[in-house]
């Protein structure tokens, strides 16, 4: 079975590359003003009906793969005019889900439920300590100002591990900035698939967990690492001053501005947090390493199989994975596939 809470603890950074793909983009937000040490911003977010980006095409002979580059977060108040995607979905022989990870454990449903209390405990700091007790004073001072601004009523967040607390605060800041994770792209695709009585083909990398209870126990013992502090600090950096750039990237997707979408690389804060999540003794003991390269290899395996048998296939990929120099498009091109960029 899939363990959602355990997956959240170890693998929630994958949500940042699909949910929160906040890469650099030209700033189109307006006034920035300092207030109590926090940059107060007016992030200009588009609304209404928007076209979204065009589709990439991957060809080999008369077999064609259409790829939609996805972005998260996106503006809260847009309606995606998905005409091109709808047309392709009506013709597609197969629809591929986005890459990701599933943590599988050989346990039944009811035994899995018994693990949830342990998973919830693992989301908190060891020994019941609060953030003020585990963070350096200067870092906690920055946190306190931002928490007061974005998560004033969430008292429980103070007991969470820094990586989880920082991510929760980030999502609150997104919401206050007119952005949201999810709710724009998937409902449109799911509606067509439901009408056609189709399901997406999974492309997930499956990680086998032999003893989830022992893994959770190990994780609960993990103390704060230097990498955790780097991730925490860089996430606060984004909340303090970079949300206008996050909004600009969300706007670029909404209006179909591929030059702006392509211009940014994955931000170093995302990479820093990925390092913090996976550089744990718990992960090392269980062979959880090289996650991004293994995810890409799994996706390539599925795609090559579908391109051999299908005339038309549709897939979704986070923008940063799609266009980075050593990313998914580059890997397909290296294997001899023809790549056609959106118009």
């Amino acid at each position: 079975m899939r363990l959602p809470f355990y997956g959240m603890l170890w693998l929630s950074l994958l949500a940042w590359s699909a949910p929160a793909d906040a890469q650099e983009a030209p700033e189109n937000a307006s006034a920035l003003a300092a207030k109590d040490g926090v940059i107060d911003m007016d992030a200009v977010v588009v609304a209404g009906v928007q076209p979204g980006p065009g589709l990439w095409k991957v060809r080999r002979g008369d077999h064609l793969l259409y790829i939609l580059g996805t972005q998260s977060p996106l503006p809260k108040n847009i309606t995606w005019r998905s005409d091109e995607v709808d047309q392709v979905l009506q013709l597609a022989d197969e629809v591929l889900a986005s890459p990701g990870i599933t943590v599988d454990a050989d346990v039944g449903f009811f035994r899995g439920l018994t693990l949830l209390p342990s998973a919830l405990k693992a989301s908190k700091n060891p020994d019941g300590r609060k953030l003020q007790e585990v963070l350096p004073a200067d870092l906690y001072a920055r946190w306190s100002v931002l928490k007061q601004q974005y998560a004033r009523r969430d008292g429980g967040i103070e007991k969470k591990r820094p990586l989880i607390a920082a991510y929760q605060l980030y999502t609150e800041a997104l919401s206050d900035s007119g952005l949201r994770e999810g709710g724009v792209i998937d409902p449109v695709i799911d509606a067509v698939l439901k009408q056609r009585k189709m399901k997406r083909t999974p492309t997930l990398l499956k990680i086998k967990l032999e003893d989830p209870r022992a893994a959770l126990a190990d994780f609960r013992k993990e103390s704060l690492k230097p990498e955790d502090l780097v991730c925490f600090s860089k996430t606060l950096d984004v909340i303090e001053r970079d949300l206008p750039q996050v909004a600009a990237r969300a706007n670029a997707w909404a209006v179909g501005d591929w030059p702006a979408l392509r211009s940014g690389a994955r931000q170093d804060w995302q990479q820093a947090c990925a390092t913090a999540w996976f550089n744990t003794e718990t992960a090392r003991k269980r062979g959880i390493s090289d996650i991004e390269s293994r995810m890409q290899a799994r996706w390539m395996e599925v795609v090559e199989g579908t391109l051999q048998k299908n005339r038309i296939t549709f897939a979704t990929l986070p923008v940063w994975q799609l266009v980075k120099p050593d990313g998914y498009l580059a890997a397909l091109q290296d294997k001899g596939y023809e790549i056609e960029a959106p118009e």
Side-chain angles (χ1 to χ4, degrees):
M1 64 174 288
R2 189 180 298 186
L3 302 176
F5 286 97
Y6 190 73
M8 177 192 73
L9 294 175
W10 248 351
L11 310 172
S12 66
L13 243 291
L14 298 173
W16 294 30
S17 62
D21 186 18
Q23 305 174 47
E24 294 181 47
E27 182 175 332
N28 70 347
S30 58
L32 301 177
K35 181 182 179 182
D36 296 330
V38 179
I39 294 180
D40 217 358
M41 50 168 209
D42 181 16
V44 179
V45 181
V46 300
V49 178
Q50 301 294 339
L55 299 177
W56 290 82
K57 298 171 188 168
V58 180
R59 299 178 185 273
R60 176 164 283 177
D62 58 356
H63 293 236
L64 185 58
L65 168 68
Y66 290 89
I67 302 177
L68 171 68
T70 60
Q71 158 70 25
S72 187
L74 288 173
K76 279 184 180 181
N77 298 316
I78 65 166
T79 300
W80 177 29
R81 191 179 69 236
S82 55
D83 298 350
E84 183 183 13
V85 168
D86 289 344
Q87 291 171 9
V88 173
L89 287 172
Q90 290 292 347
L91 300 172
D93 301 304
E94 194 168 0
V95 176
L96 305 184
S98 291
I101 291 180
T102 178
V103 179
D104 280 356
D106 201 9
V107 298
F109 175 75
F110 290 104
R111 186 184 167 208
L113 290 179
T114 68
L115 297 174
L116 296 183
S118 294
L120 289 170
K121 289 180 182 178
S123 72
K124 298 178 181 179
N125 290 307
D127 303 320
R129 302 173 74 192
K130 295 185 177 181
L131 289 175
Q132 189 170 10
E133 300 174 77
V134 300
L135 293 174
D138 59 338
L139 200 54
Y140 184 77
R142 292 174 61 199
W143 159 266
S144 295
V145 172
L146 293 171
K147 178 180 177 291
Q148 180 69 15
Q149 182 172 354
Y150 295 113
R152 181 181 309 173
R153 298 179 181 178
D154 189 351
I157 200 172
E158 289 287 339
K159 297 180 180 179
K160 298 291 179 64
R161 288 177 179 267
L163 298 185
I164 296 173
Y167 179 66
Q168 288 184 200
L169 187 67
Y170 171 78
T171 60
E172 293 289 346
L174 290 182
S175 181
D176 282 9
S177 302
L179 301 166
R180 66 174 177 175
E181 297 181 314
V184 175
I185 299 171
D186 282 341
V188 171
I189 296 173
D190 289 341
V192 178
L193 293 181
K194 182 178 180 180
Q195 181 260 324
R196 293 195 61 195
K197 298 181 179 179
M198 293 176 64
K199 293 185 177 181
R200 301 189 212 200
T201 299
T203 65
L204 296 172
L205 170 67
K206 186 180 291 187
I207 294 178
K208 185 72 172 178
L209 198 60
E210 299 295 341
D211 190 343
R213 192 177 297 279
L216 282 169
D218 285 348
F219 189 83
R220 285 170 59 185
K221 298 173 187 175
E222 297 265 359
S223 58
L224 192 68
K225 313 184 301 295
E227 294 92 339
D228 298 342
L229 295 178
V230 172
C231 167
F232 190 88
S233 177
K234 287 182 177 293
T235 305
L236 297 191
D237 289 344
V238 174
I239 298 171
E240 286 171 340
R241 63 172 184 256
D242 293 341
L243 286 176
Q245 284 78 10
V246 177
R249 191 163 184 81
N251 289 344
W253 189 95
V255 302
D257 185 353
W258 260 110
L261 282 172
R262 296 190 68 172
S263 66
R266 192 186 190 189
Q267 284 189 335
D268 62 350
W269 69 276
Q270 291 175 293
Q271 189 58 54
C273 290
T275 299
W277 272 110
F278 294 117
N279 187 22
T280 65
E281 185 60 28
T282 310
R284 284 192 291 272
K285 283 171 62 175
R286 289 156 180 84
I288 299 179
S289 61
D290 301 322
I291 294 299
E292 287 190 12
S293 61
R294 289 166 61 189
M295 280 173 48
Q296 182 169 322
R298 172 60 183 155
W299 187 86
M300 289 288 294
E301 177 186 9
V302 175
V303 164
E304 292 201 88
T306 59
L307 276 169
Q308 287 181 4
K309 65 180 180 180
N310 298 331
R311 293 290 298 275
I312 297 177
T313 305
F314 176 85
T316 54
L317 276 173
V319 167
W320 74 267
Q321 289 175 323
L322 187 63
V323 300
K324 65 178 182 175
D326 58 346
Y328 290 56
L329 282 179
L332 288 166
Q333 197 163 33
D334 289 344
K335 286 181 171 288
Y337 294 94
E338 298 176 31
I339 309 296
E340 182 179 333
E343 296 180 0

